[in-house]
Amino acid sequence: MKIASIAYRGLNVTPKTNWGFLEVRTEDDRTGLGECTLGNQEPLVAAEVDRLAANLVGQDARDRNRIARFLPHAPGGLVAATTLSALDQALSDLAAQRNGEPIFRLLGGGFRDSVRLYANINRGANPRTPEGFAAAARRALTDGFAGIKLAPFEPLMWEDGATPDNRAAYAEGLDRIAAVREAIGPDIDLMVDAHWRFSPGSAAALIRDVARENLFWLECPVAEANHREIARLRGLCNARGMRLAGAESLSGLAAYRPLVEAGCYDVLMPDAKHAGGLQEILRIAALAQTAGVEIAPHNPTGPVCHAHSVHLCAAIPNFLVLEVQYGETEAFFDIVQGESLRFDRGAARLPQSPGLGISLAPGDTPAWKRMDRPWLDPRLG
């Protein structure tokens, strides 16, 4: 099963969103698919895909342990890790196709027949007022989701100081959270993503202020490298009945080991696009399991990462819940063909077809375009 080509395909699916995919074609006319979406880094990812192709065309696609091996000391940063992760996804798709089985079987089989999802409503909230977030949450509730997440605090950034704009952003963020909690009632899991916008001191105040909303978890309040303070904040969260979650943009087992050893998080969130491959996430999950830490993969982008994540989550014993971007665009369902990715009352059914179970559909979806006003705060990447 020799590799005939490796190509990047970037698609523009909303005025503020591009998705990126990696396709590996083999000489026996199979195609394996991975996702390498990395906001506002499309030219760099495309160049890294070309670099991989120059080195790997002609290699045996069955040798994924060697040709998609994650090395933590290699240069290239998150761009290289994201491209390599997509390569591993695509090679796993090919291997499972060749075996005539779905990917979750390739990973050792499933612990569950369906995967519980929660709705990230952040991009589906319009307008971005408390009422707009509440309306998005009610839509997700109607579709059967039992967990809702929002990222309510932009444009706050603690390094900018205690400015009037920061204070106003914090107050509005709290109002957004309260509006969503009121809209969904007391029994639905509510998650809040802070996107590293807080200092340890201001994060402690945040934990105090959101405790009244009975959060299921608080996510990424401070920079990932601050292990001692993250562990302290975890204690503050646990004392108020909520989990602390994070580590969505790290790559490789070696990056996760210090977090587990330091007791930083109740929930780790490795992303199939960034963490170094499906097998690498299984290793991360196994390490986390030894410390009683749960796994809830980060998954707020396109349908290919989602499909891979569903297979992956089925095979993780300490899996908690899987994120899905809710309400952003119907392209999530329309740009792929094969098994349906439609959500089933807040859950995803396991694909049963050989391989990933989906492929990119032919069509006229525009190619990726530069985002002059990117969705992500440019200070956060």
Side-chain angles (χ1 to χ4, degrees):
M1 196 158 63
K2 301 290 187 180
I3 295 174
S5 67
I6 302 175
Y8 173 76
R9 184 174 175 187
L11 301 178
N12 177 247
V13 293
T14 79
K16 59 187 178 184
T17 301
N18 296 315
W19 291 333
F21 307 105
L22 183 151
E23 294 179 311
V24 177
R25 290 189 171 88
T26 59
E27 292 178 354
D28 58 352
D29 203 29
R30 289 189 175 95
T31 299
L33 188 59
E35 181 164 344
C36 48
T37 299
L38 187 60
N40 308 310
Q41 306 299 325
E42 292 85 4
L44 298 179
V45 175
E48 182 66 10
V49 172
D50 287 344
R51 188 190 70 82
L52 283 179
N55 286 278
L56 297 179
V57 167
Q59 299 282 323
D60 194 322
R62 294 172 296 181
D63 292 334
R64 65 186 184 282
N65 283 347
R66 176 174 58 80
I67 64 178
R69 182 182 181 189
F70 180 81
L71 297 174
H73 55 272
L78 192 58
V79 168
T82 298
T83 307
L84 189 71
S85 297
L87 175 64
D88 176 87
Q89 294 169 39
L91 295 178
S92 297
D93 184 9
L94 287 168
Q97 288 180 41
R98 185 176 183 274
N99 290 351
E101 61 186 7
I103 287 177
F104 74 88
R105 297 285 185 200
L106 187 75
L107 300 177
F111 287 96
R112 49 197 62 86
D113 296 325
S114 64
V115 170
R116 184 190 172 214
L117 308 172
Y118 70 88
N120 180 337
I121 63 170
N122 207 43
R123 294 195 182 197
N126 186 23
R128 299 187 63 75
T129 60
E131 295 76 17
F133 274 93
R138 283 191 290 268
R139 290 192 293 271
L141 199 64
T142 300
D143 278 349
F145 286 90
I148 308 290
K149 185 170 84 176
L150 69 159
F153 289 112
E154 80 276 352
L156 184 153
M157 188 69 75
W158 75 269
E159 288 94 338
D160 292 343
T163 62
D165 285 348
N166 263 355
R167 289 195 294 270
Y170 183 68
E172 182 166 25
L174 295 179
D175 288 345
R176 289 165 170 169
I177 297 168
V180 170
R181 172 52 81 194
E182 182 177 4
I184 64 178
D187 298 326
I188 299 298
D189 293 337
L190 177 59
M191 298 85 150
V192 168
D193 189 347
H195 277 158
W196 315 282
R197 294 181 180 276
F198 293 82
S199 68
S202 60
L206 170 65
I207 290 167
R208 176 200 65 206
D209 290 343
V210 298
R212 60 179 174 267
E213 307 299 349
N214 187 29
L215 299 190
F216 187 72
W217 76 48
L218 177 66
E219 180 179 331
C220 295
V222 300
E224 299 287 4
N226 205 343
H227 297 169
R228 183 178 65 180
E229 290 299 326
I230 294 172
R232 182 180 68 87
L233 295 171
R234 178 187 182 184
L236 295 178
C237 283
N238 292 171
R240 291 161 174 81
M242 57 182 150
R243 294 166 169 85
L244 187 66
E248 67 188 44
S249 59
L250 301 183
S251 303
L253 178 64
Y256 282 86
R257 181 171 64 87
L259 298 177
V260 174
E261 292 178 345
C264 289
Y265 290 115
D266 300 286
V267 182
L268 292 177
M269 307 181 71
D271 190 317
K273 296 187 303 298
H274 309 315
L278 304 184
Q279 294 288 349
E280 193 76 353
I281 293 179
L282 291 181
R283 288 186 279 270
I284 292 164
L287 176 64
Q289 187 178 10
T290 67
V293 174
E294 296 167 304
I295 300 294
H298 184 246
N299 179 44
T301 48
V304 174
C305 182
H306 174 69
H308 277 288
S309 297
V310 170
H311 285 284
L312 180 65
C313 290
I316 294 175
N318 48 328
F319 164 74
L320 178 62
V321 65
L322 176 64
E323 177 176 22
V324 69
Q325 188 67 255
Y326 176 81
E328 181 182 15
T329 171
E330 283 292 299
F332 187 93
F333 308 106
D334 296 341
I335 68 168
V336 294
Q337 61 187 3
E339 297 207 27
S340 175
L341 298 183
R342 294 284 174 182
F343 313 132
D344 183 14
R345 303 300 298 170
R349 298 183 298 274
L350 286 185
Q352 299 298 319
S353 303
L356 182 59
I358 61 167
S359 60
L360 294 178
D364 56 357
T365 305
W368 73 271
K369 65 180 182 180
R370 191 183 74 183
M371 299 293 176
D372 291 324
R373 299 187 64 185
W375 168 261
L376 292 174
D377 188 317
R379 296 167 296 181
L380 297 176

